[in-house]
Amino acid sequence: MGTLMIIFCLILIMVCICSALLRWNQLRYSKKGLPPGTMGWPVFGETTEFLKQGPDFMKNQRLRFGSFFKSHILGCPTIVSMDAELNRYILMNESKGLVAGYPQSMLDILGTCNIAAVHGPSHRLMRGSLLSLITPTMLNDHLLPKIDDFMRSYLCGWDEFETVDIQEKSKHMAFLSSLLQIAETLKASEVEEYRTEFFKLVVGTLSVPIDLPGTNYRCGIQARNNIDRLLTKLMQERRESGEIFTDMLGYLMKKEENRYLLSDKEIRDQVVTILYSGYETVSTTSMMALKYLHDNPKALEELRREHLAIRDRKRPDEPLNLEDIKSMKFTRAVIFETSRLATVVNGVLRKTTHDLELNGYSIPKGWRIYVYTREINYDTSLYEDPMIFNPWRWMEKNLESKSHFLLFGGGVRHCPGKELGISEVSSFIHYFVTKYKWEEKGGEKLMVFPRVSAPKGYHLRVSPY
């Protein structure tokens, strides 16, 4: 009886302590003028609920507090905005104190010169450097030939396997395609070194920034250091060789006729940015496009017709060019609809550089603003039957020019690699649908948050078309 009483008292004390901590943390952020909302636990905030419940957490908070509320997620006090017009205003007004504000773990691992970490003149330098690598001329003359040659080779022989895990294949495709564009002279063993470290880096960027042995954060930092070592060695070898290289790294290192001269650290951060920014969007969009096309035979038939028409007017070994990519109108619609319905990117983060007023509320300096675009993708006032895969909606209306079109960000942070990413996904789809037909091996479940993924893989049986 005495033991039970002690246990009961301990539980009661713990409940009281937890209640007091939650109340104390709420009072800390009850400053007059802040939006409504809850703040959760000290230090951890509501991050656990956010990551576990994902979209349901956001929906519940929206029902309680409206489309503009406060929370404490990913390590910092955050304002969540789910209003289409307000989101556009936030993204278009970096000069008014709404700069990029990504999680600390991401900034630490991707580098202080990463385009997401800098603003003002530094951002213009890094963005200008990146845009100079992917101009239409560069895309047509240098990048697309590499992409085309890689996709042809990478997609060969898939019908020889009993099953193909498209999730793994698309991840490797996205990484290898980007790495080839950056440094086409790497040996197979060097590519494997980069691949091993890069996948550790990706996991570390969305971790709690606690630098202890065995944590994803520590592994991500170590992986970034190893990639820096590999890049430093490669750059030194290239300088000593005196050769001229026409890949991305070659252009970044070029001293003559280069408007955007970068330091070695800036070059390394730029390379990691290119690898990282396209990896998840290209791989996930490719996988989910095949999933949606499999489930929608009419859309697959129209898309395949578009690609077979391109092949009919080209020699068997003739590569795709920029005009071919531009002619893929329905493919572009499939890519946009896939990005919308799967919500490959849930939103973007901004940070206040000073106290400011937004939507009638006072937002303190240093707070994050999470422009949460996921629910906008399913807004019935913007998209008819939003839960249905309908690529034709992008053909009938000029939705790409609408103010709520935020699939690739907005303002000065609008994704600079948008057309390169679309070209990669289009090339992958082109060679896949003209070579193969496929069926799902069996109903693996897909997760949609915090990343779109198939925990047990997405397996297909592939056969010649």
Side-chain angles (χ1 to χ4, degrees):
M1 188 71 177
T3 304
L4 287 174
M5 183 61 70
I6 292 172
I7 293 173
F8 174 78
C9 290
L10 288 173
I11 292 173
L12 186 62
I13 290 169
M14 288 299 298
V15 169
C16 291
I17 291 173
C18 290
S19 298
L21 285 172
L22 286 168
R23 180 63 180 161
W24 172 75
N25 201 46
Q26 189 69 20
L27 289 171
R28 283 176 67 203
Y29 296 106
S30 60
K31 180 180 175 182
K32 188 177 180 180
L34 279 171
T38 52
M39 303 303 288
W41 301 95
V43 181
F44 299 103
E46 298 179 306
T47 300
T48 302
E49 293 90 335
F50 170 65
L51 293 177
K52 279 186 176 180
Q53 300 172 26
D56 289 337
F57 171 80
M58 290 299 198
K59 286 178 183 176
N60 291 337
Q61 297 299 86
R62 185 181 195 177
L63 287 172
R64 293 176 66 188
F65 306 115
S67 297
F68 195 75
F69 57 87
K70 68 184 177 187
S71 183
H72 193 293
I73 53 177
L74 300 176
C76 53
T78 301
I79 302 296
V80 178
S81 174
M82 301 168 72
D83 179 271
E85 289 302 319
L86 185 57
N87 284 349
R88 182 171 176 79
Y89 174 85
I90 294 167
L91 295 178
M92 298 295 288
N93 284 280
E94 180 161 328
S95 62
K96 295 183 178 179
L98 296 162
V99 301
Y102 291 91
Q104 193 61 44
S105 55
M106 188 177 290
L107 299 179
D108 292 343
I109 292 171
L110 297 184
T112 55
C113 300
N114 159 48
I115 194 172
V118 295
H119 49 90
S122 296
H123 178 257
R124 288 193 290 274
L125 172 68
M126 299 302 286
R127 185 178 177 84
S129 168
L130 186 53
L131 286 171
S132 71
L133 300 176
I134 50 179
T135 63
T137 301
M138 283 287 290
L139 190 56
N140 188 65
D141 297 347
H142 297 284
L143 301 179
L144 266 177
K146 292 184 178 76
I147 293 169
D148 185 272
D149 184 63
F150 168 75
M151 293 299 177
R152 282 173 180 261
S153 172
Y154 187 71
L155 281 158
C156 274
W158 284 18
D159 55 317
E160 297 173 6
F161 301 102
E162 183 179 347
T163 60
V164 174
D165 184 351
I166 292 296
Q167 179 168 251
E168 284 305 305
K169 286 288 190 182
S170 62
K171 283 182 178 180
H172 290 143
M173 174 273 291
F175 169 74
L176 294 172
S177 178
S178 291
L179 188 62
L180 176 66
Q181 294 164 52
I182 291 166
E184 60 186 343
T185 58
L186 292 174
K187 300 172 185 175
S189 59
E190 294 171 323
V191 169
E192 185 59 26
E193 280 190 89
Y194 278 97
R195 189 186 71 82
T196 301
E197 299 303 332
F198 178 75
F199 288 160
K200 295 177 188 174
L201 179 150
V202 169
V203 174
T205 55
L206 283 182
S207 62
V208 179
I210 299 176
D211 192 11
L212 293 175
T215 61
N216 288 335
Y217 177 78
R218 170 70 69 85
C219 290
I221 292 289
Q222 291 172 340
R224 174 58 205 264
N225 291 338
N226 289 333
I227 289 174
D228 279 350
R229 174 180 52 79
L230 292 169
L231 285 172
T232 299
K233 178 185 174 186
L234 176 60
M235 291 165 67
Q236 185 62 33
E237 289 173 350
R238 289 193 168 193
R239 288 191 176 111
E240 291 173 355
S241 74
E243 294 181 45
I244 297 174
F245 298 89
T246 58
D247 51 28
M248 285 185 173
L249 182 58
Y251 281 98
L252 287 171
M253 293 176 62
K254 189 178 177 182
K255 297 294 184 184
E256 301 80 19
E257 301 177 13
N258 188 348
R259 291 177 57 197
Y260 304 99
L261 291 174
L262 305 182
S263 67
D264 280 8
K265 173 173 172 42
E266 288 171 332
I267 291 173
R268 292 194 301 270
D269 282 3
Q270 191 77 295
V271 166
V272 171
T273 295
I274 295 167
L275 281 173
Y276 183 85
S277 58
Y279 164 72
E280 188 145 357
T281 51
V282 168
S283 62
T284 305
T285 303
S286 299
M287 177 183 77
M288 292 306 296
L290 295 187
K291 167 64 178 172
Y292 292 141
L293 289 168
H294 170 272
D295 295 345
N296 295 269
K298 184 181 175 183
L300 174 58
E301 181 183 356
E302 181 155 342
L303 179 130
R304 183 171 270 141
R305 189 184 305 122
E306 180 174 81
H307 288 275
L308 290 174
I310 293 172
R311 288 263 55 96
D312 286 344
R313 65 175 182 256
K314 302 177 81 70
R315 299 187 308 274
D317 60 343
E318 189 177 351
L320 295 171
N321 57 39
L322 191 54
E323 288 306 311
D324 295 322
I325 298 295
K326 288 179 179 178
S327 73
M328 298 177 185
K329 304 295 186 184
F330 190 71
T331 303
R332 190 178 184 91
V334 166
I335 291 170
F336 286 167
E337 183 69 349
T338 298
S339 298
R340 182 197 68 81
L341 186 55
T343 307
V344 175
V345 177
N346 286 285
V348 293
L349 282 162
R350 292 292 180 262
K351 181 175 70 173
T352 56
T353 59
H354 57 262
D355 293 353
L356 54 83
E357 185 173 309
L358 192 62
N359 201 35
Y361 295 102
S362 299
I363 314 300
K365 174 184 176 181
W367 277 48
R368 298 294 198 278
I369 299 179
Y370 189 16
V371 178
Y372 188 70
T373 56
R374 183 182 190 90
E375 294 305 312
I376 294 173
N377 292 341
Y378 311 129
D379 191 327
T380 54
S381 68
L382 303 175
Y383 300 101
E384 186 179 350
D385 296 323
M387 303 312 294
I388 294 175
F389 180 75
N390 177 16
W392 290 274
R393 75 172 85 240
W394 300 92
M395 306 285 284
E396 297 163 358
K397 301 175 183 177
N398 192 19
L399 292 177
E400 194 174 346
S401 64
K402 299 295 184 182
S403 62
H404 60 263
F405 180 80
L406 299 173
L407 297 177
F408 299 90
V412 297
R413 300 280 171 174
H414 187 269
C415 177
K418 171 187 170 184
E419 295 304 327
L420 175 60
I422 289 173
S423 297
E424 287 185 290
V425 177
S426 299
S427 300
F428 172 79
I429 289 174
H430 175 80
Y431 285 109
F432 191 86
V433 301
T434 56
K435 279 176 177 285
Y436 303 119
K437 55 186 177 180
W438 69 97
E439 59 183 21
E440 293 182 350
K441 182 187 175 184
E444 290 98 345
K445 290 186 177 180
L446 296 174
M447 285 180 58
V448 297
F449 196 87
R451 288 183 164 117
V452 179
S453 65
K456 295 183 179 180
Y458 178 48
H459 297 90
L460 304 179
R461 288 191 183 92
V462 175
S463 56
Y465 175 69

